[in-house]
Protein backbone atom coordinates (compact mmCIF):
# COMPACT_ATOMS: atom_id res chain seq x y z
CA UNK A 1 0.00 0.00 0.00
CA UNK A 2 1.28 3.47 -0.94
CA UNK A 3 0.45 6.69 0.96
CA UNK A 4 -0.64 9.87 -0.88
CA UNK A 5 2.92 11.16 -0.48
CA UNK A 6 4.24 8.07 -2.22
CA UNK A 7 5.55 5.99 0.69
CA UNK A 8 5.26 2.28 0.08
CA UNK A 9 4.55 0.39 3.34
CA UNK A 10 4.65 -2.93 1.53
CA UNK A 11 8.24 -2.27 0.45
CA UNK A 12 9.20 -1.72 4.08
CA UNK A 13 7.39 -4.88 5.18
CA UNK A 14 9.11 -6.77 2.36
CA UNK A 15 12.52 -5.51 3.48
CA UNK A 16 11.85 -7.06 6.91
CA UNK A 17 10.62 -10.31 5.33
CA UNK A 18 13.73 -10.47 3.12
CA UNK A 19 16.03 -9.54 5.99
CA UNK A 20 17.37 -6.47 4.20
CA UNK A 21 18.54 -4.46 7.19
CA UNK A 22 19.97 -1.56 5.21
CA UNK A 23 16.82 -1.18 3.10
CA UNK A 24 14.57 -1.44 6.16
CA UNK A 25 16.63 1.29 7.86
CA UNK A 26 16.64 3.53 4.76
CA UNK A 27 12.90 3.15 4.14
CA UNK A 28 12.07 3.87 7.79
CA UNK A 29 14.21 7.02 7.62
CA UNK A 30 12.51 8.03 4.37
CA UNK A 31 9.06 7.50 5.89
CA UNK A 32 9.96 9.67 8.89
CA UNK A 33 11.34 12.37 6.59
CA UNK A 34 8.05 12.25 4.67
CA UNK A 35 6.24 13.04 7.92
CA UNK A 36 4.59 9.63 8.35
CA UNK A 37 3.61 8.86 11.97
CA UNK A 38 6.02 6.46 13.73
CA UNK A 39 3.04 4.33 14.86
CA UNK A 40 2.02 3.82 11.20
CA UNK A 41 5.57 2.99 10.14
CA UNK A 42 5.72 0.41 12.90
CA UNK A 43 2.31 -1.17 12.41
CA UNK A 44 1.94 -1.05 8.63
CA UNK A 45 5.59 -1.59 7.75
CA UNK A 46 7.85 -3.24 10.32
CA UNK A 47 5.29 -5.25 12.32
CA UNK A 48 3.37 -6.19 9.15
CA UNK A 49 6.59 -7.70 7.79
CA UNK A 50 7.36 -9.55 11.00
CA UNK A 51 3.80 -10.95 11.01
CA UNK A 52 4.48 -12.64 7.65
CA UNK A 53 7.80 -13.95 8.97
CA UNK A 54 5.95 -15.46 11.95
CA UNK A 55 3.51 -17.31 9.72
CA UNK A 56 6.28 -18.64 7.45
CA UNK A 57 8.27 -19.72 10.49
CA UNK A 58 5.27 -21.51 11.97
CA UNK A 59 4.63 -23.28 8.66
CA UNK A 60 8.27 -24.40 8.33
CA UNK A 61 8.78 -22.36 5.17
CA UNK A 62 11.65 -20.50 6.80
CA UNK A 63 13.84 -21.38 9.78
CA UNK A 64 15.67 -19.75 12.70
CA UNK A 65 18.52 -18.18 10.64
CA UNK A 66 16.07 -16.41 8.31
CA UNK A 67 13.99 -15.24 11.28
CA UNK A 68 17.12 -13.85 12.94
CA UNK A 69 18.01 -11.96 9.78
CA UNK A 70 14.45 -10.58 9.57
CA UNK A 71 14.67 -9.58 13.25
CA UNK A 72 17.91 -7.72 12.49
CA UNK A 73 16.16 -5.84 9.67
CA UNK A 74 13.28 -4.95 11.97
CA UNK A 75 15.73 -3.65 14.57
CA UNK A 76 17.46 -1.53 11.89
CA UNK A 77 14.12 0.19 11.28
CA UNK A 78 13.33 0.48 14.98
CA UNK A 79 16.69 2.19 15.59
CA UNK A 80 15.40 5.20 13.60
CA UNK A 81 12.11 5.26 15.48
CA UNK A 82 13.59 4.94 18.96
CA UNK A 83 14.76 8.56 19.44
CA UNK A 84 11.34 9.80 18.35
CA UNK A 85 9.31 7.35 20.40
CA UNK A 86 11.50 7.98 23.43
CA UNK A 87 11.73 11.79 23.07
CA UNK A 88 10.27 13.37 26.16
CA UNK A 89 12.88 15.28 28.13
CA UNK A 90 10.87 15.83 31.31
CA UNK A 91 11.06 14.38 34.81
CA UNK A 92 10.12 10.69 34.77
CA UNK A 93 6.56 10.04 35.90
CA UNK A 94 7.54 6.66 37.32
CA UNK A 95 9.93 3.72 36.96
CA UNK A 96 9.29 0.48 35.11
CA UNK A 97 11.60 -2.54 35.38
CA UNK A 98 11.07 -4.68 32.31
CA UNK A 99 12.47 -7.96 31.00
CA UNK A 100 11.78 -11.08 28.96
CA UNK A 101 11.34 -13.99 31.36
CA UNK A 102 13.72 -16.86 31.98
CA UNK A 103 14.08 -19.33 29.10
CA UNK A 104 12.94 -16.79 26.50
CA UNK A 105 15.18 -14.71 24.26
CA UNK A 106 12.58 -12.84 22.19
CA UNK A 107 13.12 -9.13 22.70
CA UNK A 108 11.66 -7.15 19.80
CA UNK A 109 8.23 -6.63 21.38
CA UNK A 110 9.70 -5.97 24.82
CA UNK A 111 12.07 -3.37 23.34
CA UNK A 112 9.16 -1.69 21.59
CA UNK A 113 7.16 -1.53 24.81
CA UNK A 114 10.22 -0.08 26.58
CA UNK A 115 10.66 2.59 23.89
CA UNK A 116 7.01 3.64 24.04
CA UNK A 117 7.06 3.75 27.85
CA UNK A 118 10.09 6.03 27.68
CA UNK A 119 8.22 8.18 25.20
CA UNK A 120 5.33 8.41 27.67
CA UNK A 121 7.69 9.71 30.35
CA UNK A 122 8.61 6.60 32.33
CA UNK A 123 12.16 5.74 33.38
CA UNK A 124 12.67 2.25 31.99
CA UNK A 125 15.19 -0.20 33.42
CA UNK A 126 15.53 -2.93 30.80
CA UNK A 127 16.93 -6.18 32.19
CA UNK A 128 17.17 -7.80 28.75
CA UNK A 129 16.18 -11.36 27.92
CA UNK A 130 16.20 -14.69 29.75
CA UNK A 131 15.74 -12.85 33.04
CA UNK A 132 15.56 -15.15 36.04
CA UNK A 133 13.60 -14.28 39.20
CA UNK A 134 16.66 -13.24 41.29
CA UNK A 135 17.54 -10.63 38.67
CA UNK A 136 14.02 -9.17 38.79
CA UNK A 137 14.17 -9.14 42.60
CA UNK A 138 17.58 -7.44 42.66
CA UNK A 139 16.38 -4.79 40.18
CA UNK A 140 13.22 -4.14 42.24
CA UNK A 141 15.41 -3.67 45.27
CA UNK A 142 17.82 -1.35 43.47
CA UNK A 143 15.44 0.75 41.37
CA UNK A 144 12.25 0.74 43.50
CA UNK A 145 9.94 0.66 40.45
CA UNK A 146 6.21 1.28 40.59
CA UNK A 147 5.73 -1.25 37.77
CA UNK A 148 7.42 -4.50 36.78
CA UNK A 149 6.83 -5.58 33.19
CA UNK A 150 7.37 -9.12 31.95
CA UNK A 151 7.32 -10.32 28.37
CA UNK A 152 7.01 -13.94 27.15
CA UNK A 153 6.69 -15.14 23.56
CA UNK A 154 6.63 -18.88 24.16
CA UNK A 155 3.86 -20.99 25.62
CA UNK A 156 6.65 -22.81 27.49
CA UNK A 157 7.86 -19.63 29.23
CA UNK A 158 4.52 -17.98 30.03
CA UNK A 159 4.32 -19.97 33.27
CA UNK A 160 7.46 -18.22 34.48
CA UNK A 161 5.40 -15.05 34.81
CA UNK A 162 3.16 -16.73 37.38
CA UNK A 163 6.18 -18.11 39.25
CA UNK A 164 7.58 -14.58 39.46
CA UNK A 165 4.26 -12.99 40.45
CA UNK A 166 3.83 -15.58 43.22
CA UNK A 167 7.34 -14.82 44.44
CA UNK A 168 6.67 -11.06 44.43
CA UNK A 169 3.52 -11.64 46.46
CA UNK A 170 5.31 -13.91 48.97
CA UNK A 171 7.71 -11.04 49.59
CA UNK A 172 4.88 -8.50 50.01
CA UNK A 173 6.01 -6.58 46.93
CA UNK A 174 2.43 -6.47 45.62
CA UNK A 175 1.76 -3.82 48.27
CA UNK A 176 4.10 -1.35 46.61
CA UNK A 177 4.27 -2.26 42.92
CA UNK A 178 2.08 -3.38 40.07
CA UNK A 179 2.88 -6.13 37.55
CA UNK A 180 2.15 -5.92 33.86
CA UNK A 181 2.56 -8.77 31.37
CA UNK A 182 2.45 -9.20 27.61
CA UNK A 183 3.71 -11.13 24.61
CA UNK A 184 2.10 -12.93 21.69
CA UNK A 185 0.69 -15.97 23.58
CA UNK A 186 -0.48 -13.91 26.56
CA UNK A 187 -4.10 -12.77 26.83
CA UNK A 188 -6.05 -10.52 29.14
CA UNK A 189 -7.67 -13.59 30.64
CA UNK A 190 -4.36 -15.37 31.18
CA UNK A 191 -2.94 -12.24 32.81
CA UNK A 192 -5.87 -12.17 35.21
CA UNK A 193 -5.54 -15.90 35.96
CA UNK A 194 -1.91 -15.58 37.01
CA UNK A 195 -2.60 -12.53 39.18
CA UNK A 196 -1.03 -9.84 37.00
CA UNK A 197 -2.37 -6.31 37.51
CA UNK A 198 -2.22 -5.38 33.87
CA UNK A 199 -1.89 -6.72 30.35
CA UNK A 200 -0.83 -5.06 27.11
CA UNK A 201 -1.95 -6.46 23.76
CA UNK A 202 0.53 -4.18 22.01
CA UNK A 203 2.96 -1.44 22.90
CA UNK A 204 0.46 1.41 22.92
CA UNK A 205 -2.08 -0.43 25.05
CA UNK A 206 0.81 -1.39 27.36
CA UNK A 207 1.58 2.31 27.83
CA UNK A 208 -2.07 3.13 28.57
CA UNK A 209 -2.25 0.31 31.08
CA UNK A 210 1.03 1.38 32.74
CA UNK A 211 -0.29 4.93 33.12
CA UNK A 212 -3.52 3.64 34.66
CA UNK A 213 -1.59 1.36 37.03
CA UNK A 214 0.60 4.26 38.11
CA UNK A 215 -2.46 6.43 38.84
CA UNK A 216 -4.04 3.56 40.75
CA UNK A 217 -0.91 3.07 42.83
CA UNK A 218 -0.62 6.79 43.55
CA UNK A 219 -4.22 6.81 44.77
CA UNK A 220 -3.44 4.01 47.24
CA UNK A 221 0.07 5.18 48.19
CA UNK A 222 0.22 8.92 47.50
CO1 LIG B 1 10.53 -17.35 17.91
N1 LIG B 1 8.80 -18.19 18.16
N2 LIG B 1 11.42 -18.99 18.57
N3 LIG B 1 12.20 -16.49 17.39
N4 LIG B 1 9.51 -16.08 16.98
C1 LIG B 1 7.62 -17.35 17.92
C2 LIG B 1 7.19 -16.64 19.20
C3 LIG B 1 6.55 -18.42 17.40
C4 LIG B 1 5.10 -18.02 17.67
C5 LIG B 1 6.83 -18.70 15.90
C6 LIG B 1 5.84 -19.65 15.27
O1 LIG B 1 5.93 -20.83 15.50
N5 LIG B 1 4.93 -19.11 14.51
C7 LIG B 1 7.01 -19.70 18.20
C8 LIG B 1 6.37 -19.90 19.55
C9 LIG B 1 5.35 -21.02 19.56
C10 LIG B 1 4.76 -21.18 20.91
O2 LIG B 1 5.36 -21.10 21.94
N6 LIG B 1 3.48 -21.41 20.88
C11 LIG B 1 8.51 -19.48 18.30
C12 LIG B 1 9.46 -20.51 18.55
C13 LIG B 1 8.91 -21.91 18.58
C14 LIG B 1 10.83 -20.24 18.74
C15 LIG B 1 11.94 -21.24 19.06
C16 LIG B 1 11.59 -22.32 20.10
C17 LIG B 1 12.38 -21.87 17.71
C18 LIG B 1 13.44 -22.92 17.80
O3 LIG B 1 14.52 -22.70 18.25
N7 LIG B 1 13.05 -24.09 17.36
C19 LIG B 1 13.07 -20.32 19.56
C20 LIG B 1 12.98 -20.08 21.07
C21 LIG B 1 14.20 -19.38 21.61
C22 LIG B 1 13.98 -18.96 23.04
O4 LIG B 1 13.38 -17.92 23.31
N8 LIG B 1 14.43 -19.77 23.98
C23 LIG B 1 12.75 -19.06 18.83
C24 LIG B 1 13.72 -18.15 18.40
C25 LIG B 1 13.46 -16.98 17.70
C26 LIG B 1 14.54 -16.09 17.12
C27 LIG B 1 15.76 -15.95 18.04
C28 LIG B 1 14.96 -16.66 15.81
C29 LIG B 1 13.74 -14.74 16.89
C30 LIG B 1 13.82 -13.75 18.07
C31 LIG B 1 14.73 -12.59 17.77
C32 LIG B 1 14.58 -11.50 18.82
O5 LIG B 1 13.56 -11.29 19.45
N9 LIG B 1 15.68 -10.80 18.99
C33 LIG B 1 12.30 -15.25 16.82
C34 LIG B 1 11.21 -14.49 16.29
C35 LIG B 1 11.56 -13.16 15.64
C36 LIG B 1 9.86 -14.95 16.34
C37 LIG B 1 8.61 -14.35 15.68
C38 LIG B 1 8.68 -14.73 14.20
C39 LIG B 1 8.38 -12.86 15.79
C40 LIG B 1 8.38 -12.30 17.22
C41 LIG B 1 8.40 -10.79 17.13
O6 LIG B 1 9.45 -10.18 17.31
N10 LIG B 1 7.24 -10.17 16.79
C42 LIG B 1 7.45 -15.11 16.46
C43 LIG B 1 6.18 -15.28 15.67
C44 LIG B 1 5.10 -14.30 16.13
O7 LIG B 1 5.07 -13.83 17.24
N11 LIG B 1 4.19 -14.05 15.23
C45 LIG B 1 8.15 -16.28 17.02
C46 LIG B 1 7.13 -8.73 16.59
C47 LIG B 1 6.88 -8.03 17.95
C48 LIG B 1 6.71 -6.54 17.71
O8 LIG B 1 5.67 -8.54 18.49
O9 LIG B 1 6.88 -9.79 20.35
O10 LIG B 1 4.39 -10.10 20.01
P1 LIG B 1 5.58 -9.24 19.95
O11 LIG B 1 5.34 -7.97 20.92
C49 LIG B 1 4.16 -7.19 20.88
C50 LIG B 1 3.05 -7.67 21.83
O12 LIG B 1 3.09 -9.05 22.09
C51 LIG B 1 3.20 -6.80 23.02
O13 LIG B 1 3.64 -5.57 22.48
C52 LIG B 1 4.56 -5.83 21.42
C53 LIG B 1 4.47 -4.70 20.43
O14 LIG B 1 3.22 -4.61 19.81
N12 LIG B 1 4.12 -7.17 24.11
C54 LIG B 1 3.93 -6.67 25.36
C55 LIG B 1 5.25 -7.89 24.11
N13 LIG B 1 5.79 -7.89 25.32
C56 LIG B 1 5.01 -7.15 26.11
C57 LIG B 1 5.13 -6.81 27.47
C58 LIG B 1 4.13 -6.01 28.03
C59 LIG B 1 3.06 -5.56 27.26
C60 LIG B 1 2.94 -5.88 25.92
O15 LIG B 1 4.13 -5.62 29.30
C61 LIG B 1 5.28 -5.80 30.06
Amino acid sequence: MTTPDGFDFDALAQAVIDGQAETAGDLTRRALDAGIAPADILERGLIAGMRVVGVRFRDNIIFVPEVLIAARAMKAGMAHLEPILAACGIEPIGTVVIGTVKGDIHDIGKNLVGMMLRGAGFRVVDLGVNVALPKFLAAIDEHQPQIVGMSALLTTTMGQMKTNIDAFRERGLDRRLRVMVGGAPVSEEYARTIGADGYGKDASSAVQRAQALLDELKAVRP
Side-chain angles (χ1 to χ4, degrees):
M1 187 187 290
T2 307
T3 61
D5 36 14
F7 184 75
D8 185 356
F9 286 110
D10 292 343
L12 179 54
Q14 196 60 46
V16 172
I17 297 165
D18 295 340
Q20 309 269 1
E22 208 180 319
T23 309
D26 287 349
L27 288 174
T28 304
R29 183 75 263 156
R30 208 178 300 164
L32 285 171
D33 292 344
I36 296 168
D40 280 344
I41 302 172
L42 257 178
E43 188 52 45
R44 296 165 67 187
L46 298 170
I47 292 181
M50 192 49 89
R51 220 173 272 132
V52 175
V53 171
V55 171
R56 292 188 183 171
F57 186 37
R58 181 198 63 204
D59 296 344
N60 292 323
I61 297 167
I62 58 170
F63 299 93
V64 171
E66 289 99 319
V67 182
L68 271 176
I69 293 168
R72 200 185 55 189
M74 173 141 187
K75 285 183 177 181
M78 278 164 60
H80 291 280
L81 298 179
E82 177 155 25
I84 296 158
L85 294 176
C88 181
I90 48 169
E91 271 294 293
I93 56 171
T95 300
V96 181
V97 161
I98 194 168
T100 302
V101 297
K102 184 175 145 193
D104 201 321
I105 59 164
H106 295 86
D107 69 352
I108 296 175
K110 182 260 302 164
N111 293 348
L112 209 45
V113 172
M115 275 182 210
M116 302 271 285
L117 285 170
R118 282 192 187 99
F122 284 92
R123 178 169 79 103
V124 176
V125 180
D126 188 344
L127 304 180
V129 297
N130 192 21
V131 181
L133 174 62
K135 196 166 172 184
F136 274 112
L137 292 172
I140 291 168
D141 203 33
E142 185 183 347
H143 302 286
Q144 301 288 314
Q146 287 84 11
I147 298 172
V148 173
M150 293 186 281
S151 184
L153 263 286
L154 300 171
T155 43
T156 50
T157 57
M158 286 163 79
Q160 192 61 43
M161 292 174 161
K162 176 169 168 26
T163 307
N164 293 350
I165 290 172
D166 289 348
F168 298 160
R169 194 156 289 156
E170 273 162 28
R171 289 164 176 77
L173 293 172
D174 55 321
R175 286 196 293 274
R176 65 171 166 93
L177 58 79
R178 296 291 176 262
V179 178
M180 196 168 76
V181 295
V186 182
S187 65
E188 180 95 58
E189 198 197 338
Y190 181 76
R192 212 175 309 119
T193 314
I194 62 172
D197 305 295
Y199 158 75
K201 182 177 162 296
D202 52 33
S204 49
S205 60
V207 169
Q208 282 174 14
R209 197 66 193 106
Q211 283 163 331
L213 287 175
L214 188 66
D215 290 345
E216 198 185 297
L217 197 61
K218 279 182 179 161
V220 187
R221 300 171 60 91

